[in-house]
Amino acid sequence: GGARDSPFRGAEEEERQHSRELRGLSEAKHAKLQQETKERHDGLKEQLDGMRREMESSLGALGQGISAVKEEKGHLGGMEQRLRQEFGAQAQAGRQGTEELKQKVETLQGGFVELRDAVRKSPGKESRH
């Protein structure tokens, strides 16, 4: 019965074996946890990417909407400008027409005055005075 047969030596060996198994288990568990974490991370990343794409698409649509509104506003602004110009031109034409009419009336009045004076000065009328 030497030292080799000591019950402690058997217990130590058993403990080492046990600790190797535990280490193996914990490494496997760790690897499994890492894998699950990675899968969860990838899943979240995919969700986030999807949300980002959706948001970019929404923002793009919103941008297009804003552009369309700006374009429409520009179009309306242009129409308003043209209407103002047209109205201005018509008002100007109206003023010119009024001015021309005034001049014609004045010319006619002048003609009447001349005619009246001529009639007054005519020899036929003088005999009546």
Side-chain angles (χ1 to χ4, degrees):
R4 213 183 260 216
D5 298 332
S6 118
F8 293 113
R9 189 166 299 247
E12 276 177 29
E13 185 53 45
E14 207 175 297
E15 209 173 294
R16 267 197 294 274
Q17 181 66 32
H18 190 62
S19 105
R20 269 197 301 270
E21 284 171 10
L22 271 177
R23 201 176 308 117
L25 272 175
S26 90
E27 281 171 7
K29 201 171 188 177
H30 181 70
K32 189 180 174 206
L33 269 173
Q34 253 186 334
Q35 183 61 32
E36 285 173 0
T37 304
K38 186 184 184 302
E39 284 169 11
R40 208 175 6 243
H41 176 267
D42 290 349
L44 282 173
K45 190 172 179 296
E46 241 174 75
Q47 274 185 307
L48 272 175
D49 287 346
M51 285 163 76
R52 185 182 297 117
R53 277 193 300 271
E54 247 178 72
M55 200 168 147
E56 281 170 0
S57 150
S58 297
L59 283 174
L62 189 65
Q64 285 174 342
I66 289 171
S67 293
V69 167
K70 278 185 182 168
E71 200 176 306
E72 186 66 18
K73 199 174 166 194
H75 180 64
L76 288 173
M79 278 174 61
E80 186 186 9
Q81 192 68 30
R82 282 195 296 279
L83 285 172
R84 278 179 196 271
Q85 284 170 352
E86 205 174 301
F87 179 76
Q90 285 175 358
Q92 182 68 28
R95 280 194 293 275
Q96 284 173 346
T98 304
E99 203 54 45
E100 283 171 26
L101 271 176
K102 259 198 229 164
Q103 285 170 1
K104 283 179 184 167
V105 167
E106 283 166 12
T107 305
L108 277 173
Q109 282 174 337
F112 280 127
V113 169
E114 281 174 36
L115 241 155
R116 194 185 61 207
D117 288 350
V119 167
R120 280 187 186 157
K121 286 178 189 163
S122 74
K125 288 278 180 187
E126 268 178 41
S127 61
R128 236 207 266 167
H129 280 295

